[in-house]
């Protein structure tokens, strides 16, 4: 799965050390609702109990060295992870999550590209009806990225959580399959127009 230079590949046990390092970086941890230190043991259990049985679909976000790298698209730079968790195949729902673990990759649009790829996977491959997400209210960068990927705020829904920094507000966004389907032709048209103008 790719969009521009951003590719997603399935997570493997070999990614454990990198995932643990990323999730324990302060600039990543402070934006998570779950802020306890990440461990190798905990992540290994997550892979075995959640990813392997299919309750979670998790990928590594890669940025390719060149524009086109069909033979080895992730030959470039692994920058973070994206996932759909609590996949409910009967209800057709899942929760979206993402983190960029490399500071130099922040603000480059990679998270938005990864979100678009993950949403497409959720609707096309998993046949989900709705994908939702949660984020801390003061994470304005995340909110903008989610909006660019098509998510919309769930008005009137919020929660308060107690974190290391004190009470924080959690906001909710969601994207339905029908809304996503309506967005696709517009996105394709913009891409075609951009190509013609180059």
């Amino acid at each position: 799965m790719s969009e521009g230079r951003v590719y997603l590949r399935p997570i493997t046990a070999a990614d454990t050390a990198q995932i643990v390092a990323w999730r324990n970086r302060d600039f990543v941890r402070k934006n998570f609702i779950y802020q306890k230190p990440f461990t190798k043991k905990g992540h290994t259990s997550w892979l075995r109990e959640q990813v392997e049985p299919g309750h979670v679909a998790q990928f590594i976000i890669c940025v390719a060295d060149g524009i086109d790298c069909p033979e080895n698209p992730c030959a470039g730079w692994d920058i973070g992870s994206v996932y759909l968790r609590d996949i409910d195949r009967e209800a057709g729902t899942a929760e979206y999550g993402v983190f960029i673990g490399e500071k130099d990759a922040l603000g480059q649009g990679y998270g938005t590209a990864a979100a678009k790829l993950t949403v497409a996977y959720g609707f096309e491959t998993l046949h989900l009806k709705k994908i939702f997400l949660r984020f801390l209210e003061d994470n304005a960068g995340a909110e903008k990225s989610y909006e660019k990927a098509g998510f919309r705020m769930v008005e009137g829904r919020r929660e308060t959580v107690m974190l290391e920094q004190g009470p924080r507000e959690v906001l909710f966004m969601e994207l339905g399959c029908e809304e996503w389907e309506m967005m696709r032709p517009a996105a394709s048209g913009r891409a075609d127009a951009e190509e013609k103008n180059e």
Side-chain angles (χ1 to χ4, degrees):
M1 296 183 289
S2 66
E3 174 154 324
R5 293 177 58 212
V6 176
Y7 291 77
L8 300 184
R9 64 170 175 80
I11 195 170
T12 70
D15 297 307
T16 297
Q18 185 63 79
I19 289 285
V20 171
W22 282 335
R23 280 287 276 108
N24 285 330
R25 289 177 178 163
D26 287 341
F27 73 91
V28 174
R29 200 164 60 91
K30 70 173 185 156
N31 288 318
F32 263 80
I33 296 169
Y34 181 84
Q35 296 189 344
K36 292 181 180 178
F38 234 53
T39 65
K40 179 181 177 181
K41 180 180 178 182
H43 183 67
T44 300
S45 295
W46 167 267
L47 291 176
R48 184 178 62 251
E49 297 169 10
Q50 299 297 323
V51 178
E52 290 175 10
H55 306 308
V56 172
Q58 187 164 3
F59 304 92
I60 297 297
I61 307 168
C62 315
V63 179
D65 280 333
I67 299 300
D68 296 305
C69 302
E71 293 180 6
N72 190 6
C74 285
W77 186 26
D78 292 350
I79 64 166
S81 184
V82 68
Y83 51 89
L84 293 169
R85 60 172 291 164
D86 300 325
I87 298 170
D88 186 332
R89 286 175 171 78
E90 287 188 16
T93 61
E95 180 176 358
Y96 170 79
V98 61
F99 59 89
I100 304 295
E102 298 294 335
K103 212 162 196 175
D104 291 346
L106 296 174
Q108 304 298 315
Y110 300 144
T112 300
K116 290 178 180 178
L117 291 170
T118 308
V119 163
Y121 177 83
F123 291 135
E124 292 178 345
T125 303
L126 300 181
H127 307 293
L128 298 176
K129 297 174 184 175
K130 185 175 289 185
I131 299 171
F132 74 95
L133 61 84
R134 298 174 291 166
F135 70 100
L136 297 174
E137 185 176 29
D138 55 0
N139 192 351
E143 182 179 355
K144 288 179 183 177
S145 177
Y146 300 147
E147 285 178 348
K148 289 178 183 176
F151 287 93
R152 295 294 173 258
M153 198 70 71
V154 180
E155 297 299 333
R157 186 176 180 192
R158 60 171 57 213
E159 293 177 357
T160 302
V161 294
M162 185 61 68
L163 302 180
E164 293 175 3
Q165 307 92 334
R168 307 274 296 278
E169 291 296 304
V170 177
L171 302 182
F172 292 76
M173 300 180 85
E174 64 183 17
L175 176 60
C177 186
E178 291 182 4
E179 291 85 359
W180 175 74
E181 287 282 0
M182 290 172 62
M183 289 165 42
R184 294 176 70 193
S188 298
R190 283 197 300 271
D192 291 342
E194 287 171 4
E195 282 184 17
K196 288 177 182 177
N197 291 330
E198 287 180 354

